[in-house]
Each structure stands twice: as C-alpha cells, then as structure tokens.
Amino acid sequence: MAVYLQVLEELEAEGEEIISSSKLAQLCGVNPSQIRKDLAYFGEFGVRGVGYYVTDLKESIKHFLGLDKTWNCAIVGIGNLGRALINHRAIKDKGYRIVGAFDWDPFKIGEKVGDLEIICTRRLKEKAKELNIQIGIITTPPNRAQRAANHIVEAGIKAILNFSPTRISVPDDVIVDYVEFSRYLIYLSFKLIHG
Amino acid sequence: MAVYLQVLEELEAEGEEIISSSKLAQLCGVNPSQIRKDLAYFGEFGVRGVGYYVTDLKESIKHFLGLDKTWNCAIVGIGNLGRALINHRAIKDKGYRIVGAFDWDPFKIGEKVGDLEIICTRRLKEKAKELNIQIGIITTPPNRAQRAANHIVEAGIKAILNFSPTRISVPDDVIVDYVEFSRYLIYLSFKLIHG
DNA sequence: CTCACATTGAGAAAAAATTCACAAACCAAA
DNA sequence: TTTGGTTTGTGAATTTTTTCTCAATGTGAG
Ligand SMILES: NC(=O)c1ccc[n+]([C@@H]2O[C@H](COP(=O)([O-])OP(=O)(O)OC[C@H]3O[C@@H](n4cnc5c(N)ncnc54)[C@H](O)[C@@H]3O)[C@@H](O)[C@H]2O)c1
Ligand SMILES: NC(=O)c1ccc[n+]([C@@H]2O[C@H](COP(=O)([O-])OP(=O)(O)OC[C@H]3O[C@@H](n4cnc5c(N)ncnc54)[C@H](O)[C@@H]3O)[C@@H](O)[C@H]2O)c1
C-alpha cells in the first residue's frame, strides 16, 4: 500500500491525472487485479471505463494510512543516531514531525540540535502533553532502553519505536516496533549466497 | 527463519540442548508444522521421537543464512548516521564487520571513528580489494547517493544498502536494498488508528 | 441516442501457504 | 527384545492469497 502511494505521488508530480490499474500495476511491479482488490477493499475509488483519479486515490490512501494528519514524535537519547533522525528530512514530508529531543545527560540539556533544544527526560511527561506527542522513539544505549520506555509509557504515549537492540516490556495497550539494522544485512548476504 | 535463529540462541544461552518443534513454535508464536516444514526444506535436522539439537540446528540455520562467515562492510558518508552504524555493536555479533569508513570531505579524512580511520572515497576501489569488502552502505546526503553508489560499483562490490531517501541505479548484478525509517512510523501510526 | 471501446468490481478458478493427521523412527524401560 | 510414549517428516486437507474472467458501467464519437 505504501508502494502504491509512493508511485502515485511520483505520477502526480509528473502531472498525470488518471491512471489505470494495469499501468499502476506495471509501475509497482504487481498484478493489476491485485491493485483493484486492494483498492476495493477500503472503498470504491475507480471509475469504470476510465481508471483512477491520481490525486483522489492518493488522498484516499493517505487517509487510510493515517498520513493525512501530522504525527508528533519525541526522540529519547540524543546521540549519533538521535541526531541523524532529527536531521532526516524525508519523514517530515510524510507527516511525521519530531517535536521533542530528550536526553538524560545533564551536559547535553539545553544544547541545540537543528531547531530543537535538548530537554531532560524527566520533563517528558509534562512536554508530551504540551506538544501532543503520539510516538516515542528510543535511541539510547541498550541498557537504558527499558528506562526510556518507562518514561515514555509514563507520559501516556501509546506507540514506541525502539532502535536499541533490546526487547522492552510495556503495558498491553502500548504498541512497540523494533528497528533492526541487521535484518537488512542478512537479506543482502543471503542474496549474495543464494542469488 | 531469523526469528527461529534468535530463539535458538536464547535457548542455547539458557543451556537447553534439545527442543521440540512444538516448544519452539510456542516461543516463536507460530504453528509446529510450520517449523517442521521450514526446517525440512533445507535438510533433515530433527530426530524422530526426540526433537532438534539446539546447537546443531542453530549452526545449520546460520550456515543457510550465511551467518557462519564474517561479512566485511564499508560505510560511505561518515555523518551522524554513519557514526551511529559504526558504533552499533549488535551487528558485530551476527558476523558483520565494518572494516572501512569512507567520506568525500577532505576535512574529515584521517579522523578516527571508533578504531577506524576515515578514508577518501576515491580510495574505495583500492581498499575494497585489500579489505575484501562485500557490502557497501550509503549514508551520504540524498543528492550524493548516486555518486557514492558509482564508487561502490566501481570497486566491484555486489551488494549495497542505501539509507539515503533516493533510488539509485546500478548494474543488474548488484543487489540493492533500501532502509526507510518512515516505514516503521507508518506502521505505528496505522496501528494507532486501526488497532 | 446508439455504438464501439476501455476499465472497474467482483465472483470463479488457480496457486500458494498453512495446518492437520498419521506412518515411520527413535528412546527408554522392562 | 518387546512395548509404550514421543516427535519428526510428509502427503492430504484446509485456508488464504493471487490471478483470471467477464458482466456492469462509464466515455466519447458519430
Ligand atoms: N536499530 C538499529 O538499526 C541501530 C543502528 C545503529 C545504532 N543503534 C543503537 O542505537 C542506540 C544509540 O546509538 P548512538 O550511536 O546514538 O549512541 P550514543 O551513545 O551516541 O547515544 C546515546 C544517547 O542516549 C543518552 N541516554 C543514555 N541514557 C538515557 C536515558 N535513560 N534517557 C535518555 N537518554 C539517555 C545518552 O546521553 C546519549 O546521548 C544504541 O543502542 C545502538 O546500538 C541501532
Ligand atoms: N533511511 C533512514 O532510515 C535514515 C534515517 C536517518 C537519516 N537518513 C539519511 O541518511 C543520510 C545521512 O544522514 P546524516 O545525518 O548522517 O547526514 P550528515 O550530513 O551528517 O552526513 C553525511 C556525510 O556524507 C558525506 N558525503 C557527502 N558526499 C559524499 C560523497 N560523494 N562520498 C562520500 N561521502 C560523502 C559528508 O561529508 C558527510 O560526512 C541522509 O541522506 C539522511 O536523510 C536515513
């Protein structure tokens, strides 16, 4: 679904107004029926004999994926990785905004990263309300990840993305996802061996 | 498959010697038959009436995934993200070693990151041979990604992991994978909306 | 308005993946 | 050696996913 969205955005940028499922399928590298089934799943967007209106369809998918709102994120642990994420522009275009940078280290507090000021993790709860933070991102060292998670949960945030290579435990109503860099490397080396 | 491996490693660390498909299935959150099918796919490892020998099975999966060798990687673009990846310990345990740090910026060349010295991108070809580099990792700004890719291809490296948010074009015999941070955020926000 | 053409939406068919079920194989104890 | 209790490996059954097909519907020309 995210692939369709990306292709649709490219088409829109090229000025295309209408696209047929077969053309879109070709661009996405899938079967035309696949596309029609997927799109029909959450509403009827096509026009028989014509195709799909690129902009309308794009908006519908965005709405379905929740990309028509902006989502506010906080980063906890402002080391190399935290900074890289704050500076990463690509996510802003998709409607995710990093609105808070938190760290435990007293020497870092007050320091500027981009146009964010690093804030003490203890103030996360207070700031989460103020900034309406919906997603917490953990980029602390592994042995601090659980502590960071606790702060995020405490602040009432219901979604966590954890970059540190440790499992964290949280209440059932909090969604956690893990980023594992090694996954990509395993894929590549596997391909190198097995074609 | 990578999940089985992780669970097996945990089991080995706990001193377990034998595991049945049903126990392993439980730990991985899948069906026992699933496990037996998957394992039977690349050889007969189990012992009827007994189960699977944890260590043997772990080794076999590692071999199958190519994780019994060490893979040498080079990072091209030593900014925040590049540094974060170099310092990231978790991948070393899986057999991936970052043996080269390359950057274009003359002011960075010679600088130390961890125990690596930053080398000029122009020397990539020469160093790739010397260090037997098999995987190239791009962490340059987006507008430099293609140039970095060209250097990597030129150096005879056949696998590329691209962190910059741009598509790159390479010859057919080079494998490319893309890391898109936004994928994880989309997953989280989608879950927040749709349960 | 009618006709020729294009394309969707959805049910039918095909393919793929998952799960079930059980014979074959193994171990341990008697 | 035989017996009883396990657990794998695999063919069959089931479920899910993907693809095919075509009636229904829209467009635009005449
Ligand atoms: N998942 C991946 O793909 C991936 C890739 C690279 C790095 N990593 C991991 O990301 C983590 C961070 O990497 P890095 O290079 O930025 O490390 P780093 O040491 O540069 O930064 C860690 C930061 O966390 C702060 N911190 C420590 N305890 C804290 C706490 N309780 N609350 C708030 N902040 C706290 C530190 O002050 C420091 O600024 C590491 O665990 C690393 O292994 C993951
Ligand atoms: N995929 C993801 O999930 C993700 C996450 C965060 C950042 N990023 C992306 O990663 C990239 C790097 O981020 P960063 O924060 O480290 O940026 P940065 O600006 O700190 O570092 C970029 C480095 O690349 C070097 N460089 C530029 N041109 C080069 C060339 N031709 N050859 C070799 N080196 C070259 C620069 O000298 C600099 O050191 C950005 O494109 C960013 O958008 C991706």
Side-chain angles (χ1 to χ4, degrees):
Chain A
M1 208 64 122
V3 179
Y4 302 164
L5 183 57
Q6 187 158 349
V7 172
L8 285 169
E9 284 181 342
E10 283 164 20
L11 285 170
E12 196 183 36
E14 287 165 20
E16 299 288 331
E17 293 186 358
I18 290 178
I19 184 89
S20 68
S21 59
S22 49
K23 294 248 179 60
L24 184 56
Q26 210 168 7
L27 292 170
C28 298
V30 300
N31 188 288
S33 306
Q34 187 70 262
I35 299 229
R36 296 208 292 275
K37 270 270 152 66
D38 288 349
L39 298 183
Y41 176 70
F42 66 103
E44 294 194 8
F45 299 113
V47 182
R48 294 182 183 203
V50 180
Y52 297 89
Y53 291 99
V54 173
T55 305
D56 283 4
L57 185 55
K58 187 203 72 177
E59 293 300 330
S60 300
I61 294 182
K62 275 192 143 181
H63 178 71
F64 178 65
L65 293 177
L67 301 180
D68 54 346
K69 332 186 196 312
T70 57
W71 294 88
N72 297 320
C73 310
I75 301 215
V76 182
I78 312 300
N80 285 315
L81 186 56
R83 278 167 220 271
L85 295 179
I86 290 170
N87 293 329
H88 189 39
R89 290 215 67 267
I91 60 162
K92 208 176 282 180
D93 310 333
K94 294 227 164 61
Y96 297 91
R97 207 175 300 164
I98 292 169
V99 296
F102 297 87
D103 204 295
W104 186 253
D105 185 348
F107 292 106
K108 291 194 175 158
I109 289 164
E111 195 180 311
K112 281 264 187 180
V113 181
D115 36 44
L116 288 178
E117 191 173 306
I118 298 177
I119 299 171
C120 178
T121 314
R122 269 178 299 195
R123 294 177 58 203
L124 182 55
K125 189 170 184 175
E126 157 205 340
K127 282 287 177 183
K129 296 239 154 45
E130 183 186 323
L131 299 167
N132 187 27
I133 292 170
Q134 294 135 315
I135 299 176
I137 300 171
I138 298 177
T139 53
T140 64
N143 58 334
R144 302 305 171 96
Q146 183 62 55
R147 204 175 302 185
N150 295 345
H151 276 109
I152 293 171
V153 169
E154 183 103 356
I157 296 168
K158 298 295 183 198
I160 297 178
L161 184 55
N162 182 15
F163 279 83
S164 93
T166 339
R167 299 276 131 181
I168 54 179
S169 18
V170 296
D172 280 349
D173 65 336
V174 178
I175 305 154
V176 181
D177 198 11
Y178 296 87
V179 180
E180 280 182 51
F181 175 41
S182 54
R183 282 283 173 88
Y184 298 90
L185 292 177
I186 292 175
Y187 169 78
L188 285 177
S189 52
F190 184 82
K191 279 282 186 181
L192 282 176
I193 297 177
H194 295 87
Chain B
M1 207 67 123
V3 178
Y4 302 165
L5 183 57
Q6 187 157 351
V7 171
L8 284 169
E9 283 181 342
E10 284 164 20
L11 285 170
E12 195 184 36
E14 287 165 19
E16 299 289 331
E17 292 186 359
I18 290 177
I19 185 89
S20 68
S21 58
S22 49
K23 294 249 179 58
L24 185 56
Q26 211 169 7
L27 292 170
C28 298
V30 299
N31 187 288
S33 307
Q34 187 71 262
I35 299 228
R36 295 207 293 275
K37 269 270 154 66
D38 288 349
L39 298 183
Y41 176 70
F42 66 104
E44 295 195 5
F45 299 112
V47 182
R48 296 182 182 202
V50 180
Y52 297 89
Y53 291 99
V54 173
T55 303
D56 283 4
L57 185 54
K58 187 203 70 176
E59 294 301 330
S60 301
I61 294 182
K62 276 193 142 179
H63 179 71
F64 178 65
L65 293 178
L67 301 180
D68 54 346
K69 331 184 198 316
T70 57
W71 295 89
N72 297 320
C73 310
I75 301 215
V76 182
I78 312 301
N80 285 315
L81 186 57
R83 279 166 219 270
L85 295 179
I86 290 171
N87 293 329
H88 189 41
R89 290 215 69 268
I91 60 162
K92 208 174 284 181
D93 309 335
K94 293 227 163 61
Y96 298 90
R97 208 174 300 165
I98 292 169
V99 295
F102 297 87
D103 203 295
W104 186 255
D105 186 347
F107 292 106
K108 289 194 174 158
I109 291 164
E111 196 181 310
K112 282 265 188 181
V113 181
D115 36 44
L116 289 178
E117 190 174 308
I118 299 177
I119 300 171
C120 179
T121 315
R122 270 178 299 196
R123 294 178 60 202
L124 183 54
K125 190 170 183 175
E126 156 205 342
K127 282 288 180 182
K129 297 240 155 43
E130 183 185 325
L131 300 167
N132 187 28
I133 292 170
Q134 294 134 315
I135 299 176
I137 300 172
I138 298 177
T139 54
T140 63
N143 57 336
R144 304 305 173 94
Q146 183 61 56
R147 201 175 303 186
N150 295 345
H151 276 108
I152 293 172
V153 170
E154 183 104 355
I157 297 167
K158 297 296 182 199
I160 297 179
L161 186 55
N162 182 15
F163 279 83
S164 92
T166 338
R167 298 276 131 182
I168 55 179
S169 20
V170 296
D172 280 350
D173 65 334
V174 178
I175 305 154
V176 181
D177 199 11
Y178 296 86
V179 180
E180 280 183 50
F181 174 40
S182 54
R183 281 285 172 86
Y184 298 89
L185 292 177
I186 292 174
Y187 169 79
L188 284 177
S189 53
F190 184 82
K191 280 282 186 179
L192 282 176
I193 296 176
H194 296 85

